[in-house]
Amino acid sequence: MAEMAFPRHESGLVAVPQEHILSLHVEATEVDWPIHAVRFNMDPCTLIVDVSEVGLVDRLVEEPALSEFSKHGFRPNSGLHMTVINYYNGGQILGALRSLPTDQQEEILQTIEGIAEGTDWSWRPTGELQSFQGQKQKDLKIITRVECPAFGVIYEALNRLMPTAEFEIYPPHITLLKRPGEVSHRVPSRIGGVALNQPLLSLSYPTIE
């Protein structure tokens, strides 16, 4: 049923019908989108921005689209957040630090934490909903792409601190809905036309006026 409603390309991309895409309206220009916490975990060096708030999915996925997604097995994601430094990039940080003295490792980690805490994490949705399939599971995810200039700030700082690290840069987004699936063989995972398991060539995010 869901596959008929949302045709899946062989690449793993799911074509979401135009009528299910968030319509741009005045709310998309607001800058009061929630930011509840910035969490940097020094081991394994992950960084997330907690944006979870009651009613946020409803603000970002309009009716009747939300009900239609629900009918086809999509459920609201819990703990809404933006992942800034994922496990892979955290591993790159740890790998770059491994050869340094312990006190220098701690100093750099504290610097990263300080930059994260002192950065303006203001964000706003672009009005663009996209769907992709997970790499290790068949669950389908509906995300909203977001504009968040702080992503560029963080990775510019990381590249200065550890130029030997090879970071994979992902488009800023929030996973809003998930449709569970069975564990399967590894498949390409895409967000729009961009493969999530490949680094982007550059950081170029619009600033929030």
Side-chain angles (χ1 to χ4, degrees):
M1 291 292 293
E3 287 74 8
M4 294 177 60
F6 305 109
R8 178 160 41 193
H9 186 268
E10 61 183 5
S11 66
L13 174 66
V14 174
V16 180
Q18 184 63 37
E19 61 269 22
H20 292 276
I21 303 300
L22 173 69
S23 300
L24 285 173
H25 53 83
V26 64
E27 189 177 16
T29 66
E30 296 176 359
V31 293
D32 63 343
W33 297 93
I35 303 168
H36 294 299
V38 177
R39 299 191 179 96
F40 178 62
N41 186 343
M42 291 191 179
D43 186 5
C45 286
T46 55
L47 173 63
I48 68 168
V49 178
D50 178 3
V51 301
S52 189
E53 183 174 275
V54 174
L56 183 59
V57 171
D58 301 83
R59 292 175 68 187
L60 294 170
V61 186
E62 297 180 338
E63 290 291 2
L66 186 58
S67 294
E68 185 71 11
F69 280 125
S70 178
K71 183 173 68 175
H72 291 290
F74 288 89
R75 298 293 178 262
N77 192 25
S78 60
L80 299 180
H81 64 276
M82 296 185 290
T83 298
V84 184
I85 303 176
N86 62 9
Y87 286 105
Y88 176 85
N89 287 342
Q92 289 292 306
I93 294 173
L94 292 175
L97 296 178
R98 197 166 290 129
S99 61
L100 301 177
T102 302
D103 59 342
Q104 194 171 350
Q105 292 183 29
E106 293 175 352
E107 181 180 351
I108 291 177
L109 289 174
Q110 289 172 1
T111 297
I112 296 172
E113 184 175 39
I115 294 171
E117 291 177 348
T119 296
D120 178 6
W121 289 100
S122 298
W123 65 277
R124 67 182 177 191
T126 64
E128 181 182 7
L129 293 182
Q130 293 180 327
S131 176
F132 69 94
Q133 188 175 47
Q135 290 178 288
K136 295 183 179 180
Q137 295 181 326
K138 282 189 172 182
D139 56 332
L140 301 180
K141 302 176 183 182
I142 303 298
I143 64 140
T144 180
R145 293 283 291 270
V146 303
E147 295 175 359
C148 184
F151 274 67
V153 172
I154 286 293
Y155 279 97
E156 286 174 6
L158 290 176
N159 283 323
R160 288 195 304 268
L161 289 167
M162 47 201 69
T164 61
E166 298 181 358
F167 298 113
E168 293 186 350
I169 311 302
Y170 303 92
H173 66 276
I174 301 168
T175 300
L176 301 175
L177 304 166
K178 288 184 179 181
R179 175 175 167 268
E182 297 178 358
V183 175
S184 177
H185 61 280
R186 191 175 181 85
V187 295
S189 179
R190 292 181 175 271
I191 179 171
V194 180
L196 286 185
N197 58 356
Q198 298 293 329
L200 296 183
L201 296 179
S202 64
L203 277 170
S204 180
Y205 304 131
T207 56
I208 295 179
E209 301 295 339

